[in-house]
Amino acid sequence: MRVMVLVKATEDSEKDFVPTPETTAMMEAMGKFNDELRNAGILLAADGLKPSSAGKRVAFDGPGRTVIDGPFAETRELVAGFWLWEVKDMDEAVAWVKRCPNPMPGPSEIEIRPLYEMADWQ
């Protein structure tokens, strides 16, 4: 099963990235974790996202389209990064997330969502 693993944004992740000894250590730890995922054959894709101030949203209402510039409110509803994994089941995904280093300097959350597969539509 494929899952999208979403690193939820925080106030820190919504600021521009500033290299410090702490952020460098976090990035190194995350790099090692990504190597473990890759070596286990689980990692399909991964990346971090720039703050929402660099993003845009397009709101749809019938035929109308409205472009909304970032930054976006409700930081806790935003995504700071993601992985796409191939795992045998949700339990395996949870076990891997529990091994993940904290992706933020303070409290943070990671959400796991299964992707629809062709078999789901039949």
Side-chain angles (χ1 to χ4, degrees):
M1 94 185 278
R2 291 178 306 151
V3 294
M4 178 71 69
V5 182
L6 305 165
V7 177
K8 303 303 281 265
T10 65
E11 288 184 22
D12 286 324
S13 70
E14 280 293 292
K15 299 174 186 169
D16 282 331
F17 179 77
V18 178
T20 66
E22 294 80 17
T23 58
T24 300
M26 280 179 21
M27 297 301 284
E28 288 174 1
M30 196 58 73
K32 289 177 184 175
F33 181 68
N34 286 337
D35 289 342
E36 290 180 44
L37 293 167
R38 195 174 296 107
N39 292 339
I42 289 170
L43 183 63
L44 301 176
D47 234 320
L49 302 174
K50 289 187 177 186
S52 69
S53 59
K56 297 190 181 289
R57 288 183 177 165
V58 178
F60 292 74
D61 187 5
R65 307 292 185 262
T66 303
V67 177
I68 305 161
D69 294 327
F72 307 122
E74 297 298 326
T75 299
R76 62 188 174 89
E77 300 297 326
L78 300 175
V79 175
F82 71 93
W83 288 278
L84 182 60
W85 295 348
E86 178 79 41
V87 292
K88 65 180 180 198
D89 55 28
M90 189 60 84
D91 289 339
E92 183 180 21
V94 169
W96 276 100
V97 169
K98 285 181 169 182
R99 293 175 55 183
C100 180
N102 187 349
M104 300 292 167
S108 65
E109 287 186 4
I110 294 179
E111 180 177 335
I112 307 166
R113 302 270 302 273
L115 276 67
Y116 279 109
E117 303 290 352
M118 287 304 290
D120 295 326
W121 300 105
Q122 298 174 0

